[in-house]
Amino acid sequence: MADLLVEWVLFGAPAVAVIGGMHWLFNVEMYAAWVIAYVAALAIGIGFQYFGIAPMNPRRGRAGNLRAAARADVLSLTAWQLGMYATMALAQLALLPAWLGGAAAVSTPVFWVIMQVAMLFGFATSFPVNWWLIRTGVKDPM
């Protein structure tokens, strides 16, 4: 969800990329978008985890449930994003310039097809982490 939202926000308002480090940390907007998307994904993911965990553990309290939600989501989401970002970087910085003469713009179907492929790689890189988190009891199996 965060990747979808951030890409369109930056498409409509490119100046927002400054928040992610554009012009002061990075010279490539894609990297700034990744920083913003990662932070947004953590906020959304931890929020979803919290609202799933808190009703089952009311005695733990808000802070305890928030810590549990973060524990359940940070490693998993980081593994997902690493796989996804690595695939997007390979496509946008190497494959598409060689095949199409440049990176795909957010407003093109090519970008979104590549994003879907990248999400499959994100799933593949997060699967072992999620398996480990479930096996160690950090996450509950569904």
Side-chain angles (χ1 to χ4, degrees):
M1 213 163 47
D3 295 299
L4 174 74
L5 293 171
V6 168
E7 291 296 346
W8 284 113
V9 166
L10 292 178
F11 179 75
V16 174
V18 171
I19 295 167
M22 186 66 185
H23 301 305
W24 57 273
L25 188 58
F26 306 113
N27 288 325
V28 178
E29 185 178 308
M30 180 172 61
Y31 302 146
W34 290 350
V35 169
I36 297 167
Y38 180 73
V39 171
L42 275 177
I44 292 167
I46 291 171
F48 274 116
Q49 288 287 344
Y50 175 82
F51 289 111
I53 290 171
M56 295 184 290
N57 302 288
R59 284 184 244 124
R60 196 183 291 162
R62 282 191 185 138
N65 283 322
L66 192 57
R67 277 191 300 277
R71 254 183 86 203
D73 207 53
V74 170
L75 284 177
S76 175
L77 182 97
T78 300
W80 169 281
Q81 296 296 93
L82 285 174
M84 193 181 93
Y85 293 161
T87 306
M88 287 299 290
L90 178 65
Q92 290 284 64
L93 301 174
L95 298 177
L96 293 177
W99 295 341
L100 304 176
V106 172
S107 59
T108 65
V110 171
F111 179 88
W112 294 104
V113 168
I114 295 297
M115 177 73 82
Q116 293 303 304
V117 171
M119 287 185 175
L120 287 172
F121 279 92
F123 172 78
T125 56
S126 68
F127 187 85
V129 174
N130 282 309
W131 177 82
W132 178 76
L133 290 169
I134 291 168
R135 188 175 167 131
T136 58
V138 173
K139 275 187 160 182
D140 292 323
M142 299 201 164

